[in-house]
């Protein structure tokens, strides 16, 4: 690792599908050695994904990361565990409480997004379907998720994944019309995502600042992602790790340092973290 930064000064931001989780099976086991290494050094590992809070909290619990904040729905909000807030002494007076979490919201809510999408479909004739149009069973069929995971994916707060069923010309018009209504269109691995402007990079910058202000030290941000909707997040990081994904278009983030893994998915995740760790020991 350049600059002599030690592992103790890292903060890791990671995408999930195709990155920490296998693109097809959602398995994360190849990344477990690296996750254990980071945990042993008390490195914050922040899940940052298009997934909902219901999905993220389930994954975070499985990975023993539920003591850390999570960034949901492509950066639409940060969910802070109350125990994290109490430990770091962060003041979030405008955040909304839900159970044992505080939510810092950055954009339009789901009902507003659905209202705009329905109006555009009716008035402009755009052809697409989103999660809000489907039953849980239809979400399951269109995503390959289990029924329980499909139920969690349906619990949206601030974004709508859609399957585009129209022409490329209409897609360009759709994107422009969304922007005139204060929304943006992001391309994900399986779906396009409709949400308010901002994205993963903004939420990542906010959260890194909160860690630094609370701890009084500088963190080196390491971000791992695999697809086009991760580019802004990766560019924001001190070190960007592009995890190989044979299902995705090639990406080239403009970060200060960019690493490309040889292995795909969680095996690539594990490869990158161990490579950086070895570098940190030699610096």
């Amino acid at each position: 690792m350049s600059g002599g930064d030690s592992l103790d000064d890292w903060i890791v931001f990671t995408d999930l599908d195709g990155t920490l989780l296998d693109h097809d099976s959602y398995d994360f086991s190849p990344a477990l050695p690296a996750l254990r290494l980071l945990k042993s050094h008390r490195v914050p590992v922040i899940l940052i994904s298009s997934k909902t809070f219901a999905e993220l909290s389930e994954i975070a619990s499985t990975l023993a990361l539920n003591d850390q904040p999570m960034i949901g729905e492509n950066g639409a909000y940060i969910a802070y565990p109350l125990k994290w807030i109490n430990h770091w002494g962060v003041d979030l007076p405008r955040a909304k409480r839900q159970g044992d979490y505080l939510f810092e919201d950055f954009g339009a809510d789901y009902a507003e997004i659905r209202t705009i999408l329905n109006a555009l479909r009716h008035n402009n004739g755009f052809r697409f379907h989103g999660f809000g149009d489907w039953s849980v069973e239809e979400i399951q069929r269109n995503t390959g998720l289990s029924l329980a995971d499909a139920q969690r994916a349906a619990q949206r707060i601030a974004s709508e994944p859609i399957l585009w069923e129209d022409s490329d010309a209409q897609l360009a018009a759709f994107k422009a019309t969304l922007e005139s209504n204060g929304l943006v269109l992001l391309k994900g691995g399986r779906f396009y995502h409709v949400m308010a402007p901002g994205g993963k990079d903004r939420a990542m910058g906010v959260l890194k600042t909160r860690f630094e202000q609370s701890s009084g030290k500088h963190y080196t941000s390491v971000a791992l992602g695999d697809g086009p909707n991760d580019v802004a997040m990766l560019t924001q990081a001190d070190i960007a790790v592009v995890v190989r994904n044979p299902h995705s278009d090639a990406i080239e983030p403009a970060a200060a340092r960019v690493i490309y893994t040889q292995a795909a998915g969680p095996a690539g995740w594990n490869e990158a973290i161990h490579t950086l760790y070895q570098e940190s020991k030699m610096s």
Side-chain angles (χ1 to χ4, degrees), residues 7-258:
L7 189 64
D8 297 330
D9 296 325
W10 290 12
I11 180 170
V12 173
F13 296 88
T14 180
D15 176 52
L16 289 175
D17 292 352
T19 302
L20 182 56
L21 305 181
D22 182 84
H23 181 272
D24 298 311
S25 68
Y26 302 108
D27 179 36
F28 57 82
S29 57
L32 283 174
L35 283 167
R36 293 189 188 107
L37 173 66
L38 295 174
K39 189 173 185 64
S40 70
H41 286 265
R42 299 185 179 180
V43 175
V45 177
I46 309 300
L47 305 182
I48 177 167
S49 171
S50 61
K51 291 185 181 296
T52 65
F53 170 72
E55 293 175 282
L56 286 175
S57 57
E58 181 74 12
I59 294 167
S61 180
T62 301
L63 297 175
L65 296 175
N66 49 346
D67 59 340
Q68 298 295 338
M70 297 172 285
I71 298 173
E73 298 185 44
N74 281 314
Y77 52 82
I78 304 173
Y80 299 88
L82 291 179
K83 57 187 175 183
W84 185 92
I85 293 286
N86 294 334
H87 173 76
W88 290 92
V90 173
D91 184 27
L92 298 172
R94 291 181 292 179
K96 305 167 189 173
R97 181 168 178 175
Q98 181 178 322
D100 292 329
Y101 286 82
L102 287 179
F103 284 78
E104 187 173 18
D105 191 341
F106 297 115
D109 66 29
Y110 187 61
E112 294 172 17
I113 293 170
R114 286 291 305 171
T115 296
I116 292 170
L117 286 175
N118 285 330
L120 294 185
R121 184 159 44 192
H122 180 267
N123 297 330
N124 300 72
F126 296 124
R127 299 195 305 275
F128 61 87
H129 283 90
F131 277 33
D133 300 312
W134 295 330
S135 66
V136 171
E137 291 76 15
E138 287 172 321
I139 292 175
Q140 182 184 15
R141 284 199 301 272
N142 283 298
T143 60
L145 296 170
S146 69
L147 184 60
D149 286 340
Q151 290 171 330
R152 296 183 188 102
Q155 297 176 43
R156 313 209 66 79
I157 296 174
S159 70
E160 176 70 324
I162 66 168
L163 276 180
W164 185 249
E165 298 162 343
D166 216 323
S167 68
D168 290 345
Q170 283 288 81
L171 180 63
F174 178 65
K175 183 176 180 180
T177 309
L178 282 176
E179 290 172 356
S180 70
N181 282 272
L183 298 174
V184 296
L185 186 69
L186 299 179
K187 189 180 187 307
R190 289 176 172 82
F191 300 95
Y192 286 96
H193 298 265
V194 180
M195 58 181 287
K200 292 180 178 181
D201 53 324
R202 173 182 56 182
M204 176 180 156
V206 168
L207 187 51
K208 181 172 182 280
T209 297
R210 298 218 186 287
F211 270 101
E212 291 181 336
Q213 289 176 340
S214 299
S215 66
K217 71 174 185 178
H218 171 74
Y219 282 90
T220 295
S221 57
V222 179
L224 301 98
D226 70 296
N229 68 333
D230 297 322
V231 170
M233 172 190 79
L234 293 169
T235 298
Q236 173 89 6
D238 297 307
I239 300 174
V241 176
V242 179
V243 176
R244 189 172 75 82
N245 184 345
H247 306 281
S248 175
D249 296 334
I251 57 174
E252 296 182 359
R257 183 182 178 192
V258 183

